[in-house]
Amino acid sequence: MRKIVVVFQFNDGRQKIVETVKGKKLTDLLEELDIYVDKPCSGLGHCGKCRVRFYSGENAPTDSDRRYITGQELDEGYRLACRVVLKEDCVIELPAQLSMDEDMDIVEADEDMDLHEFDLSGVYGIGLDIGTTTLAAALVRLDQGDYNIISQSSCVNHQRKYGADVISRIQSAIDGKGREMRESILRDIQSLFTTLIMETDCSAAVVEDRIKTVTIAGNTTMLHILMGYPCDGLGSFPYNPHNLDPVCSMACFVLPGVTAIREQTKVTVLPGISAFVGADILSGLYALGFDEIPPGQYGFMLDLGTNGEMAVGNRNHLYVASTAAGPVFEGGSISRGCPSVTGAICHVTIEHDKPIVETIGGEKAVGICGTGVLETVSQLRVNGIIDETGLLREEYFEKGYCLTRDNYGKSLFFTQSDVRQVQLAKAAIKAGIDMLLKESGLGDRDKVDKIAKIYIAGGFGYRIRKDSLYHLNMLPESFTDKIESPGNTSLLGTLKYMVNEFKEPDSGRECLDILIRASREVELATDESFGGAYYDAINF
């Protein structure tokens, strides 16, 4: 088979020249070279996120190219990588959304935690939260009565090349890619743990020797993939997980190939509640002390990520639910969306129709992350640039509203399609909350006021400006003044669990059991009234 030469040009001046066979898909070649490709739609040409630019040797545009790329940009050589079959020698520029895996894609930490010095006499553990879009971990000291954080780090979950949401990941696993996805997450964990250890400024061997335990939380799909469980039961009704029970074993069995810790290190994978309310939510409820809320008092937690998981209640009665919000709250499904990486637009203000944007790290914009997305829509609504139905004013309807110029000097637009994606996501959240409150008996105004604290969990909740949520019509009005943002509660729950287990074995597990026994899942997907509630929640 005839060989061709492909030259990859990176935006930082690097160049990579490779020889490959004619007829190879571009995305297959990129993955062989460990060059990360953002494919929220699993490479089906349905999202338009994997744009590259050909300087020579480009294919004729496909229907998918024409759907997501303007005529002028097609003439300039832009194509969707997932639609390209390499036919001749070519030169391809890879934009900011594509990155070499060697860079690990560090994302912004959820909060500024007080960090402590590593002490050779201490006993340490690592807490790990495996999210659909990002991973977060912290190295903590366990033998001082409370967890003292030594180092923390987060990174992109590189499984996203198999799809942006859990449904795509489940399908990829069913299609035979489960082993690849497990290897991918293990590589991310190895990199993340190595970063934690390096930040102690001590010998890696010394630190590894003092790490005695690892505790892991994550949604049910992510933990199934980590453990190598079959995902078939997660993909169709009645959504039966292979296993929701906790796992307690050694690193060599749970985290094979993760050499940043000793093979005999104890690893605990926390239990889940259901197929779509997983260990991450249980860990978050534990972190927030829901197991200690007495009857007659109530708390509410909403974790906004690729899925919108929510819970309301107390230690005796706890109603939980999950709604498929999609990846909007983490920058997915948005034309220029990206994770919370350096250069991501994270805050937006509009004054007199002029945008003022803030990016992570103060760098030139590479895209817009979840908080920037919702703040943009909120500001568009406040300034009358979109109406209550989400329709952009006529002058912005065709191209969108320009937020700034990106790191290539091109205008970065927030489009009408982007507004619609936010509407779909926030409607799913609003409908889910309304139905959960109704099922729990707290739906009436006089009863919902009994909820003392409203927690918006996750990095998204920690960073977003609270007034933005009000203008989106996503939360009940009575919630606004009670909102607290505790950060990544899933990760915090793993740290609390390790400390309590160190002080008093089985105490953490007993608290989790209280929450599991109290939990009753409200299955929104099978409730016939969800469609009506969803429709009613579409407008701003």
Side-chain angles (χ1 to χ4, degrees):
M1 190 172 289
R2 188 166 74 86
K3 299 281 188 177
I4 59 174
V5 174
V6 181
V7 179
F8 292 113
Q9 182 68 51
F10 292 87
N11 64 331
D12 61 0
R14 289 180 298 162
Q15 196 176 73
K16 193 175 186 71
I17 303 173
V18 298
E19 187 178 67
T20 189
V21 294
K22 179 182 177 181
K24 181 179 285 291
K25 290 182 66 175
L26 174 57
T27 49
D28 289 345
L29 177 60
L30 289 168
E31 289 179 19
E32 289 173 8
L33 298 171
D34 284 335
I35 299 175
Y36 170 69
V37 187
D38 194 359
K39 297 187 298 183
C41 67
S42 295
L44 298 177
H46 296 163
C47 68
K49 297 296 289 292
C50 59
R51 291 167 33 130
V52 297
R53 184 180 185 182
F54 280 79
Y55 287 113
S56 65
E58 67 270 22
N59 292 176
T62 65
D63 290 342
S64 294
D65 291 326
R66 294 188 183 94
R67 186 179 302 119
Y68 294 104
I69 303 174
T70 66
Q72 179 180 340
E73 290 174 329
L74 290 172
D75 292 340
E76 293 173 352
Y78 287 95
R79 299 289 187 272
L80 298 182
C82 69
R83 301 292 90 190
V84 172
V85 176
L86 299 166
K87 298 178 180 178
E88 58 183 283
D89 295 349
C90 55
V91 178
I92 306 172
E93 179 186 69
L94 301 183
Q97 286 86 345
L98 304 188
S99 62
M100 297 292 285
D101 267 3
E102 63 195 45
D103 294 331
M104 202 178 105
D105 290 336
I106 297 295
V107 294
E108 184 186 36
D110 288 343
E111 56 251 85
D112 295 322
M113 297 178 176
D114 293 330
L115 301 183
H116 297 257
E117 294 291 329
F118 182 84
D119 187 331
L120 294 177
S121 66
V123 178
Y124 297 87
I126 293 178
L128 171 64
D129 168 48
I130 301 178
T132 309
T133 303
T134 59
L135 282 73
L139 173 66
V140 297
R141 184 167 181 176
L142 307 176
D143 57 341
Q144 291 187 323
D146 196 2
Y147 54 81
N148 291 330
I149 297 175
I150 309 303
S151 58
Q152 60 170 334
S153 190
S154 300
C155 72
V156 166
N157 184 340
H158 286 88
Q159 283 181 358
R160 61 183 180 165
K161 67 184 178 183
Y162 300 98
D165 53 37
V166 293
I167 303 301
S168 301
R169 307 280 175 86
I170 291 169
Q171 190 57 53
S172 292
I174 293 172
D175 291 342
K177 296 182 179 178
R179 182 174 180 178
E180 293 176 29
M181 289 193 288
R182 187 186 190 205
E183 291 172 351
S184 174
I185 202 69
L186 289 171
R187 286 195 298 271
D188 286 341
I189 293 171
Q190 167 69 12
S191 297
L192 200 54
F193 285 8
T194 299
T195 300
L196 292 177
I197 291 170
M198 289 176 60
E199 289 180 357
T200 66
D201 293 328
C202 296
S203 163
V206 171
V207 178
E208 291 167 16
D209 192 52
R210 303 306 301 166
I211 297 173
K212 303 302 182 182
T213 185
V214 173
T215 300
I216 302 173
N219 65 58
T220 304
T221 299
M222 293 302 99
L223 296 187
H224 269 53
I225 294 171
L226 173 70
M227 298 302 298
Y229 296 152
C231 293
D232 306 58
L234 301 177
S236 58
F237 186 81
Y239 307 110
N240 291 321
H242 180 78
N243 180 40
L244 290 172
D245 293 333
V247 174
C248 187
S249 186
M250 292 190 297
C252 57
F253 298 114
V254 181
L255 302 174
V258 178
T259 58
I261 55 176
R262 304 296 190 201
E263 289 187 343
Q264 67 272 23
T265 301
K266 177 183 176 181
V267 177
T268 301
V269 180
L270 297 184
I273 296 173
S274 72
F276 296 110
V277 182
D280 52 348
I281 302 307
L282 183 65
S283 182
L285 292 169
Y286 174 58
L288 296 171
F290 271 66
D291 56 297
E292 299 173 356
I293 299 177
Q297 297 181 27
Y298 303 92
F300 179 91
M301 183 183 81
L302 172 64
D303 194 324
L304 282 176
T306 308
N307 290 306
E309 289 106 346
M310 55 196 75
V312 63
N314 51 49
R315 63 177 283 124
N316 284 6
H317 299 286
L318 193 59
Y319 293 81
V320 298
S322 175
T323 183
V328 166
F329 298 115
E330 293 176 321
S333 300
I334 301 298
S335 57
R336 294 300 302 274
C338 66
S340 300
V341 296
T342 299
I345 296 173
C346 54
H347 293 300
V348 176
T349 303
I350 298 175
E351 296 180 359
H352 308 295
D353 280 5
K354 301 295 183 183
I356 302 170
V357 304
E358 178 183 333
T359 65
I360 295 174
E363 300 293 330
K364 289 186 177 180
V366 299
I368 182 168
C369 66
T371 54
V373 168
L374 288 209
E375 289 187 9
T376 295
V377 176
S378 177
Q379 287 292 298
L380 291 175
R381 180 73 185 107
V382 169
N383 287 271
I385 299 171
I386 58 174
D387 63 18
E388 67 176 9
T389 72
L391 184 67
L392 276 165
R393 286 202 319 235
E394 185 176 354
E395 64 264 39
Y396 302 115
F397 181 79
E398 184 175 347
K399 285 189 174 182
Y401 181 84
C402 182
L403 292 172
T404 186
R405 291 190 177 276
D406 65 15
N407 56 336
Y408 290 104
K410 289 188 61 177
S411 296
L412 195 156
F413 289 99
F414 198 86
T415 69
Q416 181 67 71
S417 175
D418 295 337
V419 176
R420 297 303 186 207
Q421 290 294 326
V422 173
Q423 283 184 273
L424 297 176
K426 75 94 182 175
I429 297 298
K430 179 66 162 57
I433 292 173
D434 290 345
M435 292 185 64
L436 186 69
L437 293 176
K438 180 180 178 181
E439 187 69 22
S440 68
L442 297 170
D444 296 337
R445 178 60 188 263
D446 60 328
K447 293 182 179 179
V448 77
D449 286 341
K450 294 181 179 179
I451 302 175
K453 291 187 177 181
I454 312 296
Y455 300 102
I456 307 296
F460 172 89
Y462 186 80
R463 289 187 292 266
I464 194 168
R465 294 166 180 156
K466 306 303 181 294
D467 59 343
S468 297
L469 298 173
Y470 174 79
H471 298 296
L472 295 170
N473 185 31
M474 186 167 69
L475 304 176
E477 288 186 22
S478 59
F479 277 20
T480 307
D481 296 332
K482 301 178 183 178
I483 292 176
E484 296 184 17
S485 300
N488 187 337
T489 54
S490 177
L491 178 61
L492 292 174
T494 65
L495 308 185
K496 180 178 178 180
Y497 181 89
M498 286 189 295
V499 169
N500 286 345
E501 285 289 298
F502 183 85
K503 290 190 296 186
E504 185 180 348
D506 295 329
S507 61
R509 177 61 198 276
E510 289 173 3
C511 293
L512 296 183
D513 285 343
I514 289 172
L515 293 169
I516 292 172
R517 287 195 300 268
S519 296
R520 174 186 169 188
E521 184 175 15
V522 178
E523 297 184 357
L524 302 176
T526 59
D527 193 316
E528 294 181 357
S529 63
F530 182 76
Y534 181 83
Y535 178 80
D536 291 341
I538 283 286
N539 284 352
F540 294 110

